[in-house]
Amino acid sequence: MAPILETRRLSKRFGGLRATDGVDLSIDAGEIRCLIGPNGAGKSTLFRLILGTYPPDSGEIRFRGEDVTGFLPYRRVARGMSIKFQVPGIFKDLSVEHNLTIALQQRVGRDTLQRELERLLDVLDLGTARGRRAGELSHGQQQWLEIGMAIALSPSLLLLDEPTAGMSPEETFKTGELIKRLNADGMTMVVIEHDMTFVRQVARRVTVLHLGQIFVEGSMDDIVRNDDVARIYLGRE
Ligand code: ADP
Ligand code: MG
């Protein structure tokens, strides 16, 4: 199968620091890929390069067979890319319904808006919270609402940066099931995560980043058995 996303020798420096250093990442359509690695490994920077909020110093990004390296973020979004950042970007003073409606209005017309809204509330399990102010929701519900804002555009590729940060084990599990359900409906997912239980729950393939480079790729079993991976997490090299 042709990859939906490919980076080729992608690099980005901040001063003397190589935050992304020659990354060749290839994601097949239909995958759930987890991206792990110690703090500062360059995971979030890689997402920003993929979305286009940072321009790379060198290298190429191909999305759905097209070279999008020079595209501004909105053009990549228009082609089917969406992202949920680490920091929630919801409107805290507006209701859940209002938040989702704002996001949906970018894609669907008046005639289908209500139906799409109900579908989204159902997928996110936010039906009973629909009238509440987003700022009053639990931490987990705010994260799901944020995922809802990102999927309202019906993207073909969704990038999630630490979606379960700060969640309870139950909320984390529920987030994993949500991601699997969206994937079963055809959405390709790349997820940055620290929680290994979660990674095992969702991912078939895991990419480990270290010092801006792909350190190793493999199944979850390959990764947990790999002594070199354990060493980079312990900071002994
Ligand atoms: P991760 O998400 O894996 O924790 P980041 O991609 O956030 O890592 O950061 C990778 C490295 O790049 C870190 O050393 C970080 O301090 C640095 N970095 C990230 N963004 C910037 C920036 N805008 N300016 C300078 N340095 C940055
Ligand atoms: Mg990060």
Side-chain angles (χ1 to χ4, degrees):
M1 197 193 289
I4 187 171
L5 177 75
E6 251 185 315
T7 71
R8 295 183 184 158
R9 310 307 301 158
L10 196 64
S11 296
K12 177 74 182 172
R13 284 172 181 247
F14 295 112
L17 177 83
R18 295 170 193 270
T20 307
D21 189 7
V23 169
D24 294 314
L25 181 74
S26 180
I27 308 290
D28 284 339
E31 267 196 77
I32 303 180
R33 179 75 63 92
C34 279
L35 208 55
I36 67 170
N39 271 329
K43 304 180 296 295
S44 296
T45 300
L46 183 57
F47 267 17
R48 291 200 163 84
L49 292 170
I50 292 169
L51 186 73
T53 45
Y54 290 156
D57 296 325
S58 59
E60 193 179 296
I61 301 157
R62 300 189 68 83
F63 179 49
R64 301 171 79 186
E66 184 178 25
D67 183 349
V68 299
T69 317
F71 286 17
L72 288 171
Y74 80 91
R75 285 183 71 195
R76 304 183 198 205
V77 170
R79 276 165 179 72
M81 208 185 269
S82 190
I83 191 163
K84 182 205 164 302
F85 286 113
Q86 263 169 286
V87 187
I90 53 179
F91 304 102
K92 297 211 169 191
D93 289 331
L94 302 181
S95 70
V96 167
E97 225 170 22
H98 198 158
N99 268 278
L100 292 173
T101 301
I102 288 168
L104 279 169
Q105 275 168 344
Q106 299 172 61
R107 178 175 62 88
V108 301
R110 226 172 238 255
D111 46 334
T112 51
L113 197 120
Q114 196 58 36
R115 199 175 64 226
E116 295 272 334
L117 176 63
E118 297 303 328
R119 200 177 58 90
L120 211 45
L121 286 167
D122 184 49
V123 167
L124 302 167
D125 194 19
L126 287 175
T128 55
R130 61 193 299 158
R132 293 181 60 200
R133 273 196 331 113
E136 291 169 356
L137 298 177
S138 71
H139 174 76
Q141 288 176 317
Q142 290 193 17
Q143 299 292 315
W144 298 325
L145 178 56
E146 172 93 1
I147 292 175
M149 306 291 278
I151 64 173
L153 298 166
S154 201
S156 49
L157 174 68
L158 180 63
L159 309 171
L160 297 157
D161 197 344
E162 302 192 18
T164 74
M167 283 187 181
S168 68
E170 294 74 25
E171 290 172 331
T172 299
F173 178 76
K174 210 170 147 185
T175 304
E177 294 306 295
L178 170 60
I179 285 169
K180 290 204 293 195
R181 204 173 328 131
L182 293 171
N183 177 253
D185 288 342
M187 210 178 284
T188 305
M189 305 277 182
V190 184
V191 191
I192 296 174
E193 255 303 328
H194 286 297
D195 186 320
M196 289 302 149
T197 309
F198 174 88
V199 173
R200 193 178 277 287
Q201 183 189 351
V202 302
R204 279 150 250 166
R205 208 169 166 75
V206 180
T207 299
V208 183
L209 273 188
H210 180 47
L211 302 174
Q213 301 183 334
I214 292 182
F215 188 71
V216 65
E217 257 174 16
S219 69
M220 187 62 184
D221 287 333
D222 294 339
I223 301 300
V224 295
R225 274 200 299 260
N226 187 316
D227 291 338
D228 295 327
V229 172
R231 257 194 299 280
I232 63 170
Y233 271 97
L234 293 170
R236 292 192 270 111
E237 295 164 73

